[in-house]
Amino acid sequence: MDFRYYFLKEGTRIYEKSDLITYFKSNPYIEEQTKGDNRIYLYHHPVLNFEARFIMTSKSCVPHLERLNPKFFDVNFLVEFNILTQTYAVELILDIIEDIVKLFKFYVYNEAFENVSPFRRSMMIKAFEAWKKAYKDNHEDEIANYNRLDPQTISQVYGYLQRKSKLEILIDKNKVTISNYFFLHAEKSRTAFVAIAWDGYMPFILPPAVDILYLDDGKYTKYIPMREVMSKAEKLFKPIDGYGVIQMVDSKNTKKLHKILTKDKFAPLTTELKLLSIDKILDI
């Protein structure tokens, strides 16, 4: 199911379509498509792998237009995306919408609104989340096919994934492992776990929201709860200036950490964990 915001204009339906087309063409992550008489501009986020379709239609597309304030005119333009899109990703889509609204003096509408409205981010997110919750409540079988991370964790994970390319420029990855996330789940639970791997020797980046550290040094292989690692070795992790909660274990502390991980006792796994793709994780 798709969720939609519609664009309207006060007093007229005329705007510079060529300028809007130029705006889309200037974005390297937007591809132009056609479907019948409609022009579709498909936005695909290259890192977080979600999409939104900005559609210029050939006829009116606003539902129940006759019920809305008559001073607003449908400009035959909307944006749609999957109702199960993570809220963090919707915030990024709203960044584009906000640009468009400011450039063309558009207003927005969704069926959850009482009427046409100026761009109000909090209201637009609230409407989206209400529709998403309603969809979840009515499609529990479908939702059961996905695992879950809470919205705050999703935000931290996505935030790191977006900043990772800058870290790769800042830090010599031949000397420091710039950690990649991987995701795990247990068979009888929707809960997903965020994990990173460490070889036991290289200095490495600790991203935010990590639940499990997987140690594989060629001799030992084990999953270790990150909260237990931090309780024993928090002082070995140093924040990276300007990168908030992203931390690093430098070359001075790798041996100390390795010794703690191999010599100290940690809680054993009580269930089998399996790999999970990020596109199978929701925030509901």
Side-chain angles (χ1 to χ4, degrees):
M1 175 181 171
D2 289 322
F3 179 84
R4 298 179 176 91
Y5 296 115
Y6 303 90
F7 297 88
L8 298 95
K9 198 167 174 65
E10 185 175 3
T12 180
R13 58 171 48 91
I14 298 171
Y15 69 97
E16 291 293 338
K17 292 184 180 179
S18 57
D19 288 352
L20 181 57
I21 292 169
T22 298
Y23 173 84
F24 287 135
K25 287 185 175 181
S26 69
N27 189 320
Y29 307 130
I30 293 179
E31 174 188 339
E32 183 178 358
Q33 302 175 340
T34 57
K35 186 177 181 181
D37 294 329
N38 296 336
R39 300 182 72 158
I40 301 172
Y41 294 88
L42 178 66
Y43 170 74
H44 178 263
H45 196 287
V47 176
L48 305 183
N49 195 30
F50 66 86
E51 294 182 345
R53 291 172 297 280
F54 292 85
I55 306 173
M56 300 169 71
T57 66
S58 59
K59 57 185 179 181
S60 179
C61 55
V62 178
H64 310 299
L65 182 62
E66 71 282 358
R67 301 177 187 174
L68 303 182
N69 189 326
K71 73 177 182 178
F72 295 104
F73 290 78
D74 181 8
V75 297
N76 298 354
F77 177 47
L78 66 104
V79 58
E80 65 180 20
F81 46 88
N82 192 307
I83 189 64
L84 297 180
T85 302
Q86 287 89 346
T87 297
Y88 182 96
V90 175
E91 290 276 11
L92 299 181
I93 296 169
L94 285 178
D95 289 342
I96 299 175
I97 294 172
E98 186 173 15
D99 275 350
I100 291 170
V101 165
K102 288 179 178 177
L103 284 170
F104 298 95
K105 295 182 171 57
F106 287 153
Y107 289 75
V108 292
Y109 175 69
N110 173 269
E111 289 174 86
F113 297 177
E114 290 185 6
N115 214 311
V116 181
S117 172
F119 180 91
R120 291 176 180 157
R121 184 179 292 263
S122 61
M123 184 179 75
M124 294 170 77
I125 285 291
K126 184 178 179 180
F128 167 71
E129 290 185 333
W131 276 71
K132 181 162 63 172
K133 184 181 183 302
Y135 185 87
K136 173 183 179 292
D137 292 344
N138 287 291
H139 297 83
E140 295 288 5
D141 287 345
E142 179 184 353
I143 301 301
N145 294 321
Y146 292 86
N147 289 85
R148 181 184 184 277
L149 287 172
D150 65 80
Q152 182 179 0
T153 299
I154 286 277
S155 293
Q156 291 179 319
V157 167
Y158 275 13
Y160 172 74
L161 291 175
Q162 290 198 95
R163 303 183 81 179
K164 187 167 172 281
S165 60
K166 292 183 179 179
L167 284 170
E168 289 170 344
I169 296 171
L170 175 70
I171 296 170
D172 186 349
K173 57 186 177 183
N174 294 314
K175 296 179 179 179
V176 178
T177 299
I178 301 172
S179 301
N180 292 309
Y181 288 124
F182 64 99
F183 304 91
L184 300 163
H185 72 105
E187 278 194 21
K188 296 182 180 180
S189 171
R190 284 192 65 226
T191 300
F193 300 98
V194 182
I196 61 168
W198 184 45
D199 66 3
Y201 303 101
M202 280 275 285
F204 69 98
I205 298 295
L206 175 65
V210 173
D211 298 307
I212 296 171
L213 177 65
Y214 176 62
L215 176 66
D216 182 1
D217 65 2
K219 181 179 180 182
Y220 295 95
T221 58
K222 58 180 178 179
Y223 294 99
I224 307 170
M226 198 66 218
R227 65 180 181 276
E228 293 190 31
V229 175
M230 298 305 284
S231 71
K232 297 173 183 287
E234 185 174 8
K235 64 182 180 181
L236 304 181
F237 293 83
K238 307 298 182 184
I240 300 175
D241 289 344
Y243 281 81
V245 294
I246 300 174
Q247 301 179 75
M248 183 172 73
V249 176
D250 61 23
S251 57
K252 297 176 182 178
N253 290 312
T254 53
K255 287 184 179 180
K256 294 176 185 177
L257 180 61
H258 184 256
K259 183 177 180 181
I260 290 171
L261 298 184
T262 54
K263 301 300 182 184
D264 286 20
K265 291 185 177 180
F266 294 90
L269 285 178
T270 57
T271 185
E272 181 183 0
L273 296 176
K274 296 185 177 181
L275 284 172
L276 176 67
S277 170
I278 193 172
D279 62 3
K280 297 296 292 182
I281 298 174
L282 301 178
D283 57 0
I284 54 172

